[in-house]
Each structure stands twice: as structure tokens, then as C-alpha cells.
Amino acid sequence: MTAPIPTPTVLGIETSCDETAVGVVRLGADGRGEVLASLVASQVAAHAPFGGVVPEIAARAHVEVLDGLVRRALDEAGVGFGGLDGVAATAGPGLIGGVMVGLMAGKAIALARGLPLVAVNHLEGHALSPRLAGPVPFPYLLLLVSGGHSQLLAVEGLGRYRRLGSTIDDALGEAFDKSAKVLGLPYPGGPALEAAARTGRADAWPLPRPLLGRPGADFSFAGLKTAVLRAAEAAAAARGGDGSGAGELAAQDVADIAASFQAAAADVLADRTGHAMDDALFTDPAHRRFVVAGGVAANLTIRARLEALCAARGFAFLAPPLAYCGDNGAMIALAGAERLAAGLVDSLDAPARPRWPLDAAAATTAPATLKPGRKGARA
Amino acid sequence: MLVLSIDTALKGCAAALWRDGETVARLVEPMDRGQAERLAPLVAGVLADAGIAPAQLDRIAVTTGPGAFTGLRVGLAFARSFGLALDRPVLGFSTLEVLAAGAAAERVVAVVAMAGSLFAAAYEGRRCVLAPARIADPEALVARLGPGWSVTGPGAAGLAALASDWTLIPQDLPEPLVLAGLAAFAEPDAHPAKPLYLRGADAKLPGGIIPPDPDAGAASVAELLA
């Protein structure tokens, strides 16, 4: 703990995956984070030939562009280093080589300018991201859906997160990307699949809805992903191909399978989120706020479905602006600003953490089927 | 001129302060990993030991590799942002050049053996006769350079064993004070703080195809010394 800084201006650095991102945020007295700058240098083109993120290529790109991006973000914000009250950097979870680049940059700026450092949990950045658009009081129900994460959390306060459900296999964004790949759509697959689905029939293929109707709020997407592969093979065979590749699919097949996949994903999310809404915390009508964050939150079909669920259940629906759904520096700056306002800082020996569950307690009581890996839950 | 130097590219974590040829402060810790945790406290330590504020620094110097990919990025990411925040130039030098300068010999081959690769560079006085490269055929290197060389760096013993009369100068880590001295007299624009991987990212394209990468392959000595 240190002396709280009431309305800090904070630099935020995000390098945990394939976006190099820097933001500058000023925390208002009303709790809203005012974004002074938010720049993202995407590495999509560098990873596209590989069909996914290559960690070493990501780390190499981060170190090349990060300091220039910091300079530009401060210029755009009209804030010099002297105008900052603190520096926040993602310290995990994520691809460790990239996380280290951003965290070392954050430590360097903090030491050079005598500023406090905040080592931010990337997931906390997403959890707080709707507060970039306006004040959102605690508590709220958070659905975090991205390429690396799918979880439902009761956000009870800053640093107080209770896991209500998480995926037992793939993240939803991962299922989007892999399904898109099977359908021959370009990388990154999420936006491409959503675009293809617009001209498709959502009831064309009866895809499974894993865990639908089952108790609890956990997710499973591996079976859905496999069903997309089978559907693509069947569609190709029906067109006289040997099922060997997406090249045999007609555009309408791609659109229909994409729309069917998206409908199945939306059904599952709505069902699981509905179960999380049954948590005792939300019996008080004053607590009924629902937030969806993460890259998949940019999908408009899924947004619409969750908005309808909220309307039916009496929850306010909140989502960060589309620009802050994916990885960005502003959400890291905001998380850092909120921590500084609460007097929370980190020391210069803060480690980069490939695995860092947001809710340390619940991670150990994660679903029995979760394969946590040798070193415990990833996130 | 007051220089802060940083090295995390090999099996150590080092920071030093150098002023006009004098040692102001120096901390060197051998370690295989953990540089990301140690470096910032180490730099804070040398500054505190010397009672120097960051704004008093004139230049930052850092090793660029070859070395461990993650380790060299730890130092480079830190040094570049440190320089940015202070508006001071950041100069990069290869680990091989710093090792060679640290050996203080007239004709010296600097060597880094790391993760199954052998990297080397050779200098006659201040003149670089073999630029830092990944060496495919160390026997050919020894034969081509001929007799009368000193050899230094982690992995030097292996190369010395291939030569009949080379002098081994043991040195496991680049000396941060040597690095600072090099940076003090160099032109910043000629020494950008950019990573020197000398090795590809080891990623394969769909179908197991290895993409063309200028850093990917080890070069034959015949090509390097043509």
C-alpha cells in the first residue's frame, strides 16, 4: 500500500498476445476512465501466414515497436512523462516473451521518472474495461470471452473477483478462429466468420450446444469446433469432393456453417450466463448489471443475444466500446489508475506470469474436467 | 560522460555506471533465468549506490545479442524505454564485440555457444574481420583464421580445442564496464539498440514449411570470409 492518488493519469502497456498497445487514461472523480490516447499496433499480418499467433514472432515485434508507440501515445494524449502519475503494464497471463517486453518497458519508465509501477492482470483490464465508457458501479456479472479466455465472474470490487464458471476446454475465441480456418476463412477468424455468417442460415446445420441446460455456468467449446469440421466435410462431400479441404466448399456452405456455429455459440453463452445470473449476489435487483468484455464481445450476433437475455432477466446490459473489446492499452491504464487510486502499487521485481488466475481461490476449485496443466490453472 | 550499461543477453544480469573511464558502480549476478525480475532492482541498486539520479545519465548502453532470445529482449526493452523516458540516446553493442573488447588482446575471436548454436566474431585491434555470425562449421573457422589468435566467451574452450596454438581467455559474461566504455566513444546512430538474434523464430508454416528468414540459417565460413 502507498498513499492513494485520487485522480491519476496513467500510461498503460499491453503486450500479452499479438497486439502491441499503449493507452493513456485519466481517472475521473466519478470513477470513469477518460481515454486520452489508445494506440494499437497489430501484428496480424506477421502471424497470418502461420494461421495463428507464433510466440517468438510476437515477442520480436513487441520489442521493435513498443517504445515508438509509447512516444506517439504520449504525444497524442498531450501528456509528457512529467504529466504521468504512474505506469501500468500487463504482467500476465499471456505469452511470456511478449509480457516481459511490456513489463520491462513499464519498469524502465517507472524507475527513470520516479513513478509508481502497477503490474496489471490482463484479465482485470478486461473486467474493468466497461468503465472506460462511463461509471459502472460494483458489483456486476462479467462474461469475459476472448481468444484465450472464457469465464463468468462476479466482480464484487477492485481486486475482488469470484469465478462462477469457465471453459473446460477451448476458449470461445479459439473456437471461432479454428472454425474459420476449417471453413477456409482468413486469419484472424472471428471477424471473418461473423462476416460470412451474415448471408447464412443459422438453422442449416444442427450443431451441438455443449453443456446446454446442465447445472452450473461452465463452458465447453471443443465439441462444437469438431462438429464444424464434420459439417464442412459433409458439405464438401455433398458437392462431390472427397472432403479433403475447404476449397471444395461453396460460399453458401461456408455462410451456412458459420451462421450455425455462431447460433450455437450464442445459445450456449446465453444458457450459461443465465445460470450465473442465478447467483445469490444478483437476487438484489440493485446488483443486476451484466458486462460482456473481450474480443468476442465485438460479435454483434452474440451481443444481441446477450442483450435479449438481460432484458428478460432484468439486468442492465453493458459492454465496452468496440475499440476496447479486444486487447488495448487503455484498459491496462485504467486498471492501473484504479489500483493507484486505491493505494496499490507493485515493486520493480514484479514477475511476468504466464499463468495468473484473476480469482486465486476459485482457480483451485475449477471444473473437475479442466486440464489445468502442470503448473495449475492458466487463467 | 556518465554511462549506464546493461547486459542480460547471456547467463547473467549486469548493470554498471561508468564516468570518463572511472568505475562509479557495478553489479553483476550470474543467473540462467530471472533477469526480468532482477534487472530493474539491479539498476536501481547501482544508481542508489552511487547516489546518482537517472536524469544525470548521459547515455544508456545495452547488449543486443547474440544470446538467449528472451534475455536479450529483457535488456533491450528496458534500456530503450529507460532512454526514451529520460530523452537520452541508447546504444546497442553485440555481446561478441563486448566480449572481444573485454579480452584486451590484439587478435581475438569472441564466441557464444547457446542452445545448440555457435556464434562468433573476430577482431584485429579495433577492426572487425568477421562480423557476428552463426557458424555452421567451427573447424573451417579455425582453419581459415589460422594461427595466433586469442579466443574468449562462453564456448571459447570448445573452439580453442580445435586449434593448436590459440590462447584461451576465460570470460563467461560481457563486462558491463567495457560495454559502457565502448558506448562513451561511439556514434549513437551507428549503434542502434536493435536485437541481434542471428537465428530465426523456429516457426513453421502450414505443411511444415520453414519460411525464408534472413536470420534463420548458420553460415559457412567460406561465405563469411570470402
Side-chain angles (χ1 to χ4, degrees), chain A residues 49-51 54 56-57 59-60 63-65 67 70-71 81 97 100-101 104-105 107-109 111-113 348-352, chain B residues 36-37 39-41 43-44 54 69-70 73-74 77-78 80-82 84-86 194-195 197 199-201 203-206 211:
Chain A
F50 300 93
V54 181
E56 176 62 21
I57 290 175
R60 290 184 178 198
V63 79
E64 282 295 334
V65 305
D67 52 352
V70 168
R71 173 80 271 159
F81 284 104
M100 278 187 191
V101 168
M104 293 314 295
K107 288 179 178 183
I109 294 165
L111 179 61
R113 304 296 306 202
L348 289 174
D349 64 354
Chain B
E37 288 81 12
L39 178 61
V43 171
F69 294 166
T70 298
R73 275 193 294 267
V74 164
F78 184 92
R80 285 169 60 146
S81 284
F82 203 75
L84 175 70
L86 296 170
K194 286 182 173 296
Y197 296 108
R199 220 185 132 148
K204 287 186 179 143
L205 291 165

Side-chain angles (χ1 to χ4, degrees), chain B residues 6-170:
Chain B
I6 287 166
D7 167 58
T8 57
L10 300 174
K11 293 187 174 179
C13 189
L17 287 170
W18 176 105
R19 179 190 274 135
D20 301 328
E22 302 291 325
T23 303
V24 180
R26 176 183 180 275
L27 288 171
V28 178
E29 297 180 4
M31 64 183 69
D32 283 353
R33 53 202 304 135
Q35 286 94 341
E37 288 81 12
R38 274 305 287 151
L39 178 61
L42 210 68
V43 171
V46 295
L47 290 166
D49 284 355
I52 283 173
Q56 292 174 256
L57 298 170
D58 295 304
R59 285 185 176 185
I60 321 296
V62 63
T63 46
T64 57
F69 294 166
T70 298
L72 67 90
R73 275 193 294 267
V74 164
L76 279 165
F78 184 92
R80 285 169 60 146
S81 284
F82 203 75
L84 175 70
L86 296 170
D87 195 21
R88 297 291 189 277
V90 183
L91 288 79
F93 290 83
S94 81
T95 48
L96 297 168
E97 184 172 356
V98 180
L99 286 164
E106 186 52 33
R107 301 173 81 214
V108 61
V109 181
V111 175
V112 168
M114 173 79 62
S117 292
L118 185 76
F119 305 97
Y123 301 84
E124 287 186 300
R126 297 298 306 268
R127 197 169 69 90
C128 178
V129 295
L130 170 66
R134 185 173 163 208
I135 303 296
D137 40 3
E139 294 84 358
L141 177 70
V142 169
R144 181 67 197 261
L145 288 173
W149 288 83
S150 297
V151 59
T152 191
L159 206 59
L162 299 174
S164 52
D165 75 333
W166 284 16
T167 306
L168 180 65
I169 301 178

Side-chain angles (χ1 to χ4, degrees), chain A residues 54-204:
Chain A
V54 181
E56 176 62 21
I57 290 175
R60 290 184 178 198
H62 287 309
V63 79
E64 282 295 334
V65 305
L66 178 58
D67 52 352
L69 208 62
V70 168
R71 173 80 271 159
R72 280 176 47 209
L74 289 172
D75 287 349
E76 193 164 293
V79 171
F81 284 104
L84 296 174
D85 297 301
V87 183
T90 296
L95 301 173
I96 191 69
V99 171
M100 278 187 191
V101 168
L103 183 57
M104 293 314 295
K107 288 179 178 183
I109 294 165
L111 179 61
R113 304 296 306 202
L115 294 168
L117 171 77
V118 185
V120 172
N121 184 313
H122 175 82
L123 304 177
E124 182 165 68
H126 279 301
L128 300 176
S129 62
R131 294 154 73 95
L132 290 167
V136 181
F138 298 120
Y140 50 81
L141 174 63
L142 171 74
L143 170 64
L144 175 58
V145 271
S146 68
H149 310 283
S150 297
Q151 41 190 271
L152 279 155
L153 294 152
V155 178
E156 296 171 345
L158 181 67
R160 290 167 49 212
Y161 308 95
R162 185 161 51 86
R163 186 184 308 223
L164 302 174
S166 60
T167 182
I168 61 176
D169 40 54
D170 293 350
L172 180 53
E174 191 181 349
F176 260 93
D177 284 343
K178 288 180 177 167
S179 295
K181 199 170 177 177
V182 161
L183 295 174
L185 296 168
Y187 170 88
L193 191 146
E194 182 178 12
R198 278 187 208 117
T199 53
R201 286 192 304 122
D203 60 354

